[in-house]
Amino acid sequence: INHIVHNGGLYKRPFNEAFEETPMLVAVLTYVGYGVLTLFGYLRDFMRQWKIEKCQNATEREEQKDFVPLYQDFENFYNRNLYMRIRDSWNRPICSVPGAKVDMMERVSHDYNWTFTYTGRVIKGIINMGSYNYLGFAQNAGTCQEAAAKVLSQYGAGVCSTRQEMGNLDKHEELEKLVARFLGVESAMAYGMGFATNSMNIPALVGKGCLILSDELNHASLVLGARLSGATIRIFKHNNMQSLEKLLKDAIVHGQPRTRRPWKKILILVEGIYSMEGSIVRLPEVIALKKKYKSYLYLDEAHSIGALGPSGRGVVEYFGLNPEDVDVMMGTFTKSFGAAGGYIGGKKELIDYLRTYSHSAVYATSLSPPVVEQIITSMKCIMGEDGTAVGKARVQQLAENTRYFRRRLKEMGFIIYGNEDSPVVPLMLYMPAKIGAFGREMLKRNIGVVVVGFPATPIIESRARFCLSAAHTREMLDTALKEINEVGDLLQLKYSRHRLVPLLDRPFDETTYEETED
Amino acid sequence: MDIKSMKYYLYWLYCQFELITCSYLMEPWEKLLFYTFNITMLVMVLYTAYIFVPVHVSTAFQFFLNLFGNQHENTVSIVK
């Protein structure tokens, strides 16, 4: 559905995002399934308590039974009775490079997923639809691997120090200049871990007396960083610009809660691509709002860097905007560059401040040299500076794969969430038994998928998440689509009634989850 | 050949039932318990229906017959 532009033509291309509503019958049956499993969960807990059945999970010791109980909340109940039944779809050990095809170690469980044993067989050539390998740089051969091997023999693998002490290599300086050039910002800084980049740098940027406006579905690292900072956090509805504007207006008009003083800083936390929904942030509108209300923007491009935009520079290039409008551009090297770590890019004063005051710079070990070389080589490849057209070809291949895969799945009749151009494709499963069944059936047909259930998604909206890659050829995608079609017929997953919910454009009166007519 | 496809269809229906009620995930003794409970409930409902539905239907039928029968006589008397 094309977003009807009523805000002055901010979008230069159509913005097609859709989240089809859950069919009523499916929702009712999902609750029935969860109800049955909950009853059996209570039965099993009863049997475990009265020693009719052997208790295989963690419990308190005998001496501690009179204290506050540790394992009685819903999370632990869910863990013991529901997660254990389908646990074999997760933590599967792979034993080759996670490229387009991967090898997996076969394991069986004789006591219903409490323990696993390896049969010793290795399943080879499983089509990998779960790794965040968007541009196919997870390879064990090629220019990146040769360069990394050379640097490994020169620098070794360990750094043995933090950035501020003895861990600042010339490779890190080279990497940071390259990242700044790639993004189009003044300066950048790289950290050893993507999660730590968010959780350790947001506390350095905001503190008490500041306001954080964070999207409903932000990643745990952003939420953790926001909570650690001590600032006031307000949540706006996912990708909903009316909700964000309402919060901004309230913040400017009313100020801090009791003293009514103006906020020291207002920081908007959004992500480029939300990995559980497959949706892309409405960046032109966010930037317009940010300029109007004079707040700051922190953009987490973990999944969108390298994967969106005509030359892979991320969501800012995808919308054709100026990178200097985004105050803090954060991203990770884990997804599209095939390495590990994160970066923050922005104005020179900001990055110089972070070099001194970030917890990650002071306490965390810096990036390992071969990893840095992998990032440098892959980034140069994407930019086209190594002399070949491989990078551009990969970016285009990813875009083609995305459009083809999404179109075919929608035609088959599955409910797919998210934007037409995002390489993350969530396919809705809803019922708990289908989560386990989908994972197992796809593995039987030699396709590895990631299924996601309760704590990461709302309880009835469990899904299977496909991550497309530029390394997938058309034949691999066709094989995968054929198998998904078969499994979809077998498990009856084709719920779509082709009734797409129109995107809400009406203004909201409250920041809660009800809407009133104006 | 029709029997084979019929049997496959019934097996597929059974699979759907297993998936929806999550008995696909249960251990064998849990499945036994669950199916016993369900089949007992179903048999009891069917038995109750077998005994009481004919009686209820014929009583209701007679009630409505009397109601409409009286009405017809009343209108006839007024017209006369």
Side-chain angles (χ1 to χ4, degrees):
Chain A
I1 287 193
N2 282 343
H3 177 101
I4 313 285
V5 173
H6 66 286
N7 42 16
L10 287 172
Y11 289 87
K12 300 183 180 78
R13 54 194 296 164
F15 188 82
N16 295 330
E17 200 163 275
F19 299 95
E20 192 173 330
E21 210 182 273
T22 313
M24 177 63 82
L25 181 64
V26 172
V28 167
L29 292 176
T30 314
Y31 282 123
V32 163
Y34 273 111
V36 169
L37 281 178
T38 315
L39 286 174
F40 274 96
Y42 281 133
L43 175 70
R44 298 290 291 270
D45 274 350
F46 175 77
M47 287 168 52
R48 274 188 271 256
Q49 170 135 26
W50 284 89
K51 309 274 193 293
I52 306 175
E53 185 194 352
K54 186 167 85 111
C55 182
Q56 283 162 316
N57 57 308
T59 43
E60 303 108 322
R61 295 203 308 263
E62 279 305 317
E63 309 88 71
Q64 295 172 330
K65 289 258 191 235
D66 291 326
F67 286 78
V68 173
L70 292 172
Y71 301 107
Q72 274 189 11
D73 54 346
F74 181 67
E75 296 248 341
N76 283 300
F77 177 82
Y78 180 86
N79 199 30
R80 281 195 297 267
N81 298 310
L82 280 82
Y83 173 69
M84 280 298 167
R85 293 183 194 265
I86 45 178
R87 197 162 79 123
D88 58 317
S89 299
W90 291 289
N91 296 333
R92 291 188 192 142
I94 60 174
C95 48
S96 77
V97 68
K101 292 208 173 178
V102 72
D103 301 335
M104 212 179 272
M105 298 190 63
E106 196 188 18
R107 43 174 202 175
V108 289
S109 172
H110 298 289
D111 53 355
Y112 302 101
N113 293 348
W114 286 97
T115 57
F116 291 104
T117 49
Y118 296 105
T119 58
R121 200 169 78 92
V122 170
I123 316 175
K124 291 200 178 289
I126 297 182
I127 298 181
N128 186 0
M129 306 290 298
S131 292
Y132 303 132
N133 183 17
Y134 297 131
L135 292 178
F137 279 112
Q139 295 163 311
N140 56 356
T143 44
C144 295
Q145 180 264 339
E146 284 159 24
K150 207 156 78 80
V151 166
L152 180 64
S153 58
Q154 190 186 351
Y155 285 86
V159 183
C160 307
S161 185
T162 66
R163 276 309 280 280
Q164 282 196 355
E165 294 173 7
M166 285 278 283
N168 192 16
L169 307 174
D170 56 345
K171 281 281 165 205
H172 293 130
E173 304 278 333
E174 189 190 332
L175 171 66
E176 287 173 359
K177 289 201 185 65
L178 184 64
V179 169
R181 212 149 44 86
F182 181 71
L183 296 172
V185 291
E186 283 180 23
S187 171
M189 182 167 177
Y191 303 92
M193 186 176 154
F195 189 100
T197 312
N198 271 333
S199 48
M200 299 292 119
N201 285 310
I202 297 179
L205 294 173
V206 288
K208 267 187 124 144
C210 302
L211 176 65
I212 291 182
L213 297 175
S214 141
D215 190 291
E216 205 180 8
L217 299 174
N218 266 339
H219 190 249
S221 55
L222 290 165
V223 172
L224 185 63
R227 287 183 188 170
L228 280 176
S229 67
T232 314
I233 308 175
R234 300 215 174 126
I235 316 278
F236 62 93
K237 288 176 90 158
H238 177 59
N239 233 359
N240 190 323
M241 297 298 116
Q242 284 78 27
S243 173
L244 176 59
E245 180 159 19
K246 180 111 198 352
L247 284 180
L248 278 166
K249 274 189 196 163
D250 281 343
I252 304 279
V253 165
H254 297 299
Q256 298 191 28
R258 273 174 300 120
T259 58
R260 297 291 192 220
R261 282 192 216 148
W263 295 100
K264 286 196 214 155
K265 263 180 267 199
I266 303 181
L267 185 67
I268 307 176
L269 292 182
V270 286
E271 288 188 37
I273 292 184
Y274 292 90
S275 65
M276 278 303 151
E277 311 286 312
S279 53
I280 301 182
V281 67
R282 292 174 187 274
L283 198 59
E285 294 180 61
V286 174
I287 289 188
L289 279 174
K290 171 202 99 119
K291 285 183 180 164
K292 180 174 170 188
Y293 292 99
K294 299 211 178 25
S295 51
Y296 299 101
L297 179 60
Y298 185 105
L299 178 66
D300 178 347
E301 286 202 273
H303 287 269
S304 54
I305 192 77
L308 286 182
S311 65
R313 313 268 166 138
V315 70
V316 173
E317 199 200 10
Y318 174 75
F319 285 112
L321 301 166
N322 189 357
E324 297 188 2
D325 285 335
V326 179
D327 301 292
V328 190
M329 283 181 83
M330 178 262 170
T332 59
F333 301 119
T334 330
K335 279 84 183 187
S336 300
F337 300 99
Y343 66 85
I344 289 198
K347 295 252 178 318
K348 191 166 180 313
E349 296 86 38
L350 172 72
I351 302 297
D352 285 342
Y353 177 82
L354 280 178
R355 280 190 217 278
T356 331
Y357 286 94
S358 158
H359 296 293
S360 190
V362 180
Y363 296 109
T365 319
S366 40
L367 282 159
S368 176
V371 172
V372 174
E373 186 60 30
Q374 158 82 17
I375 304 169
I376 291 177
T377 324
S378 58
M379 207 176 263
K380 283 192 173 148
C381 182
I382 297 174
M383 287 161 83
E385 285 180 8
D386 59 344
T388 63
V390 167
K392 193 117 176 103
R394 284 186 194 218
V395 174
Q396 277 170 355
Q397 177 72 24
L398 177 66
E400 267 179 44
N401 283 355
T402 309
R403 278 193 290 265
Y404 177 65
F405 198 74
R406 275 180 172 265
R407 186 173 54 85
R408 284 288 304 273
L409 280 180
K410 284 214 174 95
E411 281 169 13
M412 283 181 198
F414 294 101
I415 296 187
I416 307 286
Y417 273 10
N419 196 308
E420 291 274 322
D421 290 319
S422 93
V424 179
V425 185
L427 188 148
M428 303 307 287
L429 299 173
Y430 298 113
M431 297 180 201
K434 294 193 186 181
I435 308 175
F438 192 79
R440 288 173 203 162
E441 292 295 320
M442 293 303 279
L443 189 59
K444 271 188 218 162
R445 291 166 172 75
N446 252 14
I447 300 185
V449 295
V450 169
V451 288
V452 202
F454 165 55
T457 64
I459 196 153
I460 52 167
E461 288 169 24
S462 52
R463 57 202 75 174
R465 186 182 67 177
F466 300 105
C467 291
L468 295 165
S469 165
H472 286 138
T473 59
R474 190 52 79 97
E475 293 81 40
M476 283 190 225
L477 286 185
D478 283 333
T479 323
L481 282 163
K482 190 168 75 73
E483 304 295 352
I484 297 173
N485 199 8
E486 253 181 62
V487 174
D489 282 329
L490 181 67
L491 302 178
Q492 241 210 347
L493 292 172
K494 300 190 177 178
Y495 303 117
S496 176
R497 289 169 303 180
H498 297 287
R499 246 205 286 150
L500 302 164
V501 177
L503 300 166
L504 295 166
D505 275 340
R506 301 192 301 275
F508 278 74
D509 280 338
E510 304 167 55
T511 56
T512 54
Y513 288 28
E514 303 125 40
E515 35 171 344
T516 55
E517 300 283 358
D518 246 338
Chain B
M1 273 301 116
D2 204 30
I3 302 289
K4 207 164 155 67
S5 66
M6 191 66 181
K7 273 203 302 199
Y8 185 73
Y9 180 64
L10 285 174
Y11 177 69
W12 180 83
L13 271 182
Y14 170 67
C15 279
Q16 297 309 307
F17 171 77
E18 266 204 332
L19 282 173
I20 290 176
T21 56
C22 300
S23 47
Y24 172 83
L25 302 175
M26 293 181 196
E27 301 174 22
W29 63 270
E30 287 174 333
K31 265 193 200 173
L32 187 69
L33 205 64
F34 186 63
Y35 288 161
T36 316
F37 177 75
N38 275 1
I39 292 178
T40 316
M41 284 282 128
L42 192 68
V43 162
M44 289 203 289
V45 164
L46 285 174
Y47 181 65
T48 316
Y50 170 70
I51 294 192
F52 284 105
V53 164
V55 176
H56 280 321
V57 162
S58 58
T59 320
F61 183 65
Q62 292 221 341
F63 173 72
F64 281 116
L65 197 63
N66 281 340
L67 188 67
F68 289 131
N70 280 342
Q71 212 177 49
H72 176 73
E73 279 165 18
N74 284 340
T75 47
V76 161
S77 57
I78 286 170
V79 160
K80 255 197 190 159

